[in-house]
């Protein structure tokens, strides 16, 4: 990768240790993704905020880094472990709360906007089409590239952080408009958000950098986010096109493939609790939920995860009334994935409509998962 | 081979043909694969030369790699078939040598073999 003179100097440590580390990361990922140079970016979205996932090593790294480092571009962050407003309702250790607070404060010290959301594309104004950004959080990167008309690598926690600190990112293949060499044909009728999540999970496993999907005309928000979430969970793929790319290899996603993904992720007949939101729910989805729940109440605990700004908006409009009346706890700043609020010592299984949530609940939280679409959840888990 | 993170390492190869999700299936303090469905389930990475096709899944997996190094549970080096940003950036920050092997080089590497990796040598 070609570097400018100034970039070379930074890499050699002439602009301090932070810049040296940041450029070392950018050069490594540039080499890894065949980038010829770095490009300026206008927005970075960071992952690596939850103490559950980054641990003591991560907490200490950020505390040290934030003593001197400052972000150079608008920078937003992923959800953390819990909602500070409701922390007393849960049996969390003081250590967890204190370490999470330290992580939150480290990011704020660096000048990061405390958004704590995995759907930055829904809660911030989108820059103009074609803008270069640097998004970690796989669902957000895939969404930005495929639906949001932005350009980003499928960044990692450290590469997005390096971008935030330098204002740059490698110009890798994903930022270019190359056509994918694989088309997945959607062959399942009456697809709901769960089917789309399973399609994403399936596509992520077999696709390379980018993939075409044919047979899907329109997707509602829920399905689109679920597709992005599923795709980001299973593979490296960072972009999809809703078209049939001529000359590409074709693979069908039929009932059989859907069943295989379902069988892989569905490990329980029922859930002890319900969790909704991975990715977090946006305003449109809270509206849907509030109308679906009209006059009905959950028969078990239901946790609804949405960004804080969305919760505030929904509260003003009045959508939260029906959702809370139905027995849901609305939580901000955190998400289904990897939240310590789902405690495997107390809960064996979780019902969710999220493919991404299902994967991480099982693999990281260690609970079994009962997968159902939202309409099925409302039908079967409420009365 | 293509060098992503420079360095030298000597150790026994631990190889899998399954991708690794560093967030979902690796214990960040012990370096043991916790996913029972994974070929390397229960096998510690510590002091091995880890050979795998590529990383998958969450971008936060890079922190797992950094944590493994901090907890003295990291492999000496990693060798992949394809590059991904999560593994590349985790190795860059943790100073773990990382190279991308050609198809032929990758096939030649076998679990249990003792090997020396020197990224300056230009070959595996």
């Amino acid at each position: 990768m070609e570097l400018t003179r100034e970039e070379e100097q930074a890499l050699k440590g002439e602009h301090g240790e932070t810049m040296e580390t940041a450029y070392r990361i950018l050069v490594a990922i540039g080499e890894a993704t065949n980038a010829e140079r770095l490009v300026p970016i206008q927005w970075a979205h960071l992952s690596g905020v939850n103490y559950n996932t980054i641990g003591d090593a991560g907490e200490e790294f950020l505390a040290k880094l934030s003593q001197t480092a400052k972000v150079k571009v608008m920078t937003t962050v992923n959800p953390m472990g819990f909602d500070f407003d409701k922390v007393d309702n849960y049996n969390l250790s003081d250590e967890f709360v204190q370490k999470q607070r330290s992580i939150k404060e480290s990011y704020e010290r660096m000048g990061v906007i405390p958004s704590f959301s995995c759907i930055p594309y829904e809660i911030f104004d989108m820059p103009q089409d074609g803008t270069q950004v640097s998004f970690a959080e796989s669902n957000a990167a895939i969404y930005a590239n495929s639906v949001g008309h932005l350009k980003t690598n499928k960044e990692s926690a450290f590469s997005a952080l390096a971008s935030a600190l330098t204002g740059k990112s490698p110009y890798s293949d994903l930022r270019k408009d190359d056509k994918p060499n694989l088309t997945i044909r959607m062959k399942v009728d009456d697809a709901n958000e769960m089917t789309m999540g399973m399609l994403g999970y399936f596509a992520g496993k077999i696709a390379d950098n980018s993939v075409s999907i044919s047979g899907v005309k329109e997707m509602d928000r829920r399905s689109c986010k679920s597709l992005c979430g599923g795709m980001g969970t299973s593979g490296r793929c960072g972009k999809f096109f809703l078209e049939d790319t001529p000359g590409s290899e074709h693979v069908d996603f039929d009932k059989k493939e859907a069943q295989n993904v379902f069988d892989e992720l569905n490990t329980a007949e029922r859930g002890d609790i319900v969790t909704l939101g991975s990715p977090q729910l946006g305003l449109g989805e809270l509206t849907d939920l509030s109308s679906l729940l009209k006059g009905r109440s959950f028969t078990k605990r239901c946790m609804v995860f949405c960004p804080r700004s969305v919760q505030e908006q929904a509260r003003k409009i009045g959508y939260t009334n029906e959702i809370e009346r139905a027995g849901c706890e609305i939580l901000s700043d955190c998400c289904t994935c990897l939240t310590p609020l789902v405690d495997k010592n107390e809960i064996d299984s979780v019902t969710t409509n999220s493919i991404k949530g299902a994967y991480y609940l099982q693999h990281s939280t260690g609970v079994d998962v009962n997968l159902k679409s939202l309409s099925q959840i409302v039908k079967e888990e409420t009365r | 081979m293509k060098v992503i993170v420079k360095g030298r390492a000597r150790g026994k190869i631990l190889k899998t043909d399954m991708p690794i999700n560093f967030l979902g299936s690796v214990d960040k303090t012990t370096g043991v694969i916790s996913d029972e469905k994974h070929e390397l389930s229960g096998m510690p990475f510590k002091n091995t030369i880890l050979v795998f096709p590529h990383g998958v899944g969450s971008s936060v997996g890079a922190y797992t790699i950094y944590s493994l190094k901090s907890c003295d549970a990291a492999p000496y080096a990693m060798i992949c078939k394809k590059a991904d940003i999560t593994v590349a950036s985790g190795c860059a920050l943790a100073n773990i040598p990382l190279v991308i092997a050609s198809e032929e080089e990758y096939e030649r590497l076998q679990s249990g073999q003792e090997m020396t990796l020197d990224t300056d040598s230009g070959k595996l």
Side-chain angles (χ1 to χ4, degrees), chain A residues 21 24 28 31-32 34 47 52-55 57 62 107 137 155-159 208 233-234 236 264 359-360 363-364, chain B residues 2 4 21 23-24 28 35 37 54-60 62-63 66-67 70 82-83 85-86 88-90 92-93:
Chain A
T21 307
R24 195 169 77 223
E31 290 299 332
N34 302 315
S47 61
N52 241 1
T53 59
I54 71 169
L62 290 170
Y107 280 121
E137 170 50 40
E155 302 289 354
S156 83
F158 292 142
S159 70
D208 208 15
T233 303
S234 62
R236 306 159 60 241
E264 182 186 331
Y359 180 90
Y360 285 107
H363 287 83
S364 298
Chain B
K2 183 173 183 187
I4 307 298
N21 186 330
L23 179 61
K28 62 181 170 291
D35 179 359
K37 288 177 194 150
H54 55 83
V56 289
S58 171
S59 59
V60 187
Y63 269 97
Y66 178 73
S67 177
S70 304
K82 287 180 185 170
I85 290 178
T86 296
S89 63
L93 186 62

Side-chain angles (χ1 to χ4, degrees), chain A residues 121-190:
Chain A
Y121 48 85
E122 271 194 71
I123 60 172
F124 291 94
D125 286 342
M126 292 290 273
Q128 72 182 84
D129 289 4
T131 299
Q132 302 281 353
V133 299
S134 178
F135 281 10
E137 170 50 40
S138 52
N139 104 77
I142 297 169
Y143 192 99
N145 280 330
S146 315
V147 186
H149 308 292
L150 304 180
K151 292 182 182 301
T152 178
N153 298 323
K154 187 169 172 262
E155 302 289 354
S156 83
F158 292 142
S159 70
L161 181 58
S163 289
L165 298 172
T166 58
K168 291 174 186 179
S169 175
Y171 190 59
S172 312
D173 289 342
L174 259 181
R175 296 186 181 277
K176 302 163 194 168
D177 280 318
D178 295 344
K179 288 292 172 199
N181 55 14
L182 179 70
T183 300
I184 296 178
R185 289 185 288 214
M186 175 63 161
K187 298 275 188 182
V188 181
D189 298 330
D190 303 324

Side-chain angles (χ1 to χ4, degrees), chain B residues 15-111:
Chain B
K15 183 178 178 179
T16 174
D17 286 324
M18 292 171 81
I20 296 176
N21 186 330
F22 279 91
L23 179 61
S25 50
V26 179
D27 184 302
K28 62 181 170 291
T29 57
T30 62
V32 175
I33 289 222
S34 49
D35 179 359
E36 286 169 13
K37 288 177 194 150
H38 201 282
E39 210 171 68
L40 296 184
S41 176
M43 306 277 276
F45 293 163
K46 181 177 172 164
N47 298 354
T48 66
I49 295 193
L50 184 63
V51 180
F52 61 109
H54 55 83
V56 289
S58 171
S59 59
V60 187
Y63 269 97
T64 306
I65 295 173
Y66 178 73
S67 177
L68 292 180
K69 183 75 172 206
S70 304
C71 297
D72 193 25
Y76 286 136
M78 298 194 200
I79 301 175
C80 293
K81 209 191 296 196
K82 287 180 185 170
D84 73 273
I85 290 178
T86 296
V87 173
S89 63
C91 287
L93 186 62
N95 271 322
I96 298 172
L98 169 69
V99 301
I100 305 304
S102 69
E103 193 75 38
E104 188 202 342
E105 289 168 331
Y106 187 86
E107 290 311 317
R108 252 194 350 252
L109 302 169
Q110 296 299 331
S111 267

